[in-house]
Amino acid sequence: MRRPGWLRAGPAVVLTVTVALGTLVALGLRSSATPASTDPDAAAPTAAPALAGTTLDGGHFDLAAARGDVVLVNVFASWCGPCRNELPLLVDTERRWSPRGLRMVGLNVRDGAEAVRALLDETGAAGLTVLPDPDGTRSVDWGVRGVPETFVVDRDGQIVDRQRGVVTRVWLEQRVAPLLAR
């Protein structure tokens, strides 16, 4: 029995439909995973979630007590290569801009204390204030999707910007420096 013409083209049709569906799914996933605009004018500021606790060095940090300062909250992990690459820039930025009211806190996700200390020593960030987040619950409260991710909290305790992925000097100049001038 002879098959109709459209059945003989079956493998080619199946392949074409599969590729088309795969492309649509990939584009849909890509667009939903694309970071929201980091333009501070694009979205209204939102209150920063609570962030307080014992730091890696045994001190205490409380974001609420940092009102009046601009705070960078950098979510990182020792096993994250991009995190390792951006830490020196972040620490240098805090060092340069702290007289203008900048503070930085690292939120370390799902890591051990020794691994974090080794990372901080390797990257010249040993003085960084770090809050451990061993089970990731604090990160979830902040809406973190991956590491690194950096939040800019203004002097009133509002998240006014965020960067999913590595921050750059240009991004810091554009997004943070203006807040320090106010």
Side-chain angles (χ1 to χ4, degrees):
M1 183 166 115
R2 189 172 167 141
R3 293 191 275 174
W6 65 271
L7 281 179
R8 280 182 270 150
V13 170
V14 169
L15 179 61
T16 302
V17 169
T18 302
V19 168
L21 285 174
T23 301
L24 288 174
V25 168
L27 288 172
L29 290 175
R30 182 173 159 224
S31 66
S32 67
T34 301
S37 171
T38 57
D39 181 359
D41 298 324
T46 58
L51 187 60
T54 303
T55 62
L56 185 66
D57 65 2
H60 184 76
F61 177 83
D62 187 349
L63 183 60
R67 287 272 172 100
D69 288 328
V70 174
V71 181
L72 287 179
V73 178
N74 177 254
V75 185
F76 75 100
S78 68
W79 40 265
C80 164
C83 300
R84 179 178 305 274
N85 294 338
E86 79 176 350
L87 271 175
L89 171 63
L90 290 168
V91 170
D92 180 59
T93 299
E94 180 187 33
R95 193 174 300 124
R96 287 185 301 114
W97 291 352
S98 63
R100 295 169 51 194
L102 179 69
R103 293 185 63 185
M104 189 178 138
V105 61
L107 183 57
N108 177 252
V109 182
R110 298 183 181 264
D111 242 333
E114 292 310 310
V116 178
R117 285 185 183 102
L119 170 67
L120 297 176
D121 287 342
E122 286 174 29
T123 59
L128 178 64
T129 300
V130 176
L131 282 171
D133 188 13
D135 60 4
T137 56
R138 289 179 176 174
S139 300
V140 169
D141 292 344
W142 279 72
V144 172
R145 293 183 175 219
V147 290
E149 191 160 340
T150 302
F151 297 83
V152 180
V153 180
D154 72 7
R155 296 180 192 276
D156 297 320
Q158 301 288 306
I159 297 174
V160 295
D161 213 331
R162 78 191 294 169
Q163 174 67 24
R164 292 183 178 131
V166 176
V167 298
T168 63
R169 189 170 305 280
V170 170
W171 186 86
L172 292 165
E173 291 284 348
Q174 291 174 345
R175 308 297 186 173
V176 179
L179 296 172
L180 297 172
R182 295 180 192 161

